[in-house]
Amino acid sequence: MSQTSTGSSPDILDSFRLDGRVAIVTGASEGIGRALSLGLAAAGADVVVCSRDKSKLEGLVAEIGALGRRAEAYSIDLSHVDQIEGLREFVRDRFGGLHILVNGAAYTIEALAWDTTEPEWNKSLDTSLKGTFFACTILGQLMRDAGYGKIINLSSTFARSTIPTRSVYSAIKAAISHLTESLAVEWGPEGIRVNSLAPTAVRTPSRAEYLAKFEDDVVKRIPLGRIAETDDLLAAAVYLASPASDFVTGHTLFVDGGFVANG
Ligand SMILES: NC(=O)c1ccc[n+]([C@@H]2O[C@H](COP(=O)([O-])OP(=O)(O)OC[C@H]3O[C@@H](n4cnc5c(N)ncnc54)[C@H](OP(=O)(O)O)[C@@H]3O)[C@@H](O)[C@H]2O)c1
């Protein structure tokens, strides 16, 4: 696998290809994770698609297969570390290694801080932060073995700004972006690149209710004048997954229509 600069190669577009690469995408059953699974496959990767409910992944496996790539569905609750170890062994046995990990799974609390309960806090932290951390360390072992890997953590514009009802979510996303920097520093010498992808509001099933109420307000804060569609994230994800970004690590890439720049 390429680990070096693509330099002034006339084949610059080839450096975005993912042929021969194996990817894991968590949170693949819907929304962003689903779209990114298809995007990575379209760029050439074989993809292990993960969520708790395997039945929700069957259609996606078929769609990836229709693109000529190999796909496997894997049922996992990321809040259980032993299940992440099971996924590592599954991928080692079936694919022999791992090049790309997209940590997309999350559980989002939408509640005022006063109203947030301990069970909701635990569920959110366990899924979104603990799950991401141990996915990185446990699945990253396959990358360490090969001396090369690309990790993409789903952060958010809420890593840098916030609104009422998103205190826990914003804290988690700020932590994800900073965790990304920490792992990039530790793992750079081992060839593992760790970056975050940070969208503004994206039209996904879990955000349907929120956007039905607040889409107009959100759009007013976005200089490019609309919220994101999942397809807006594909090129950025392929870039971060591919050799084209081999000298990029510890970065949070905002795909946000200018939301963060707007303060
Ligand atoms: N949508 C947005 O506006 C937006 C904006 C910025 C950032 N993001 C981030 O982008 C990512 C994807 O967002 P999204 O809106 O598409 O989806 P989401 O609602 O945040 O996540 C849903 C996905 O996570 C999986 N999941 C939930 N709990 C899990 C667990 N314990 N173990 C394993 N999988 C679990 C779900 O599958 P199962 O139910 O089958 O397990 C589903 O595939 C998240 O990290 C989110 O915070 C989203």
Side-chain angles (χ1 to χ4, degrees), residues 26-34 50-54 56-57 76-80 103-108 123 126-128 132 153-158 166 169 173 197-207 210-211 228 230 233:
T26 73
S29 63
E30 63 182 54
I32 293 169
R34 190 179 202 287
C50 306
S51 81
R52 288 167 301 182
D53 184 351
K54 202 172 170 182
K56 291 199 288 186
L57 298 165
I76 184 170
D77 184 335
L78 287 156
S79 62
H80 297 286
N103 284 308
Y107 173 71
T108 302
K123 186 173 177 182
D126 283 356
T127 305
S128 308
T132 294
N153 295 321
L154 263 297
S155 181
S156 164
T157 47
F158 285 131
R166 293 296 169 94
Y169 183 77
K173 291 306 184 185
L197 186 58
T200 184
V202 187
R203 200 179 309 282
T204 64
S206 67
R207 302 306 196 267
Y210 173 79
L211 289 173
T230 53
L233 305 175

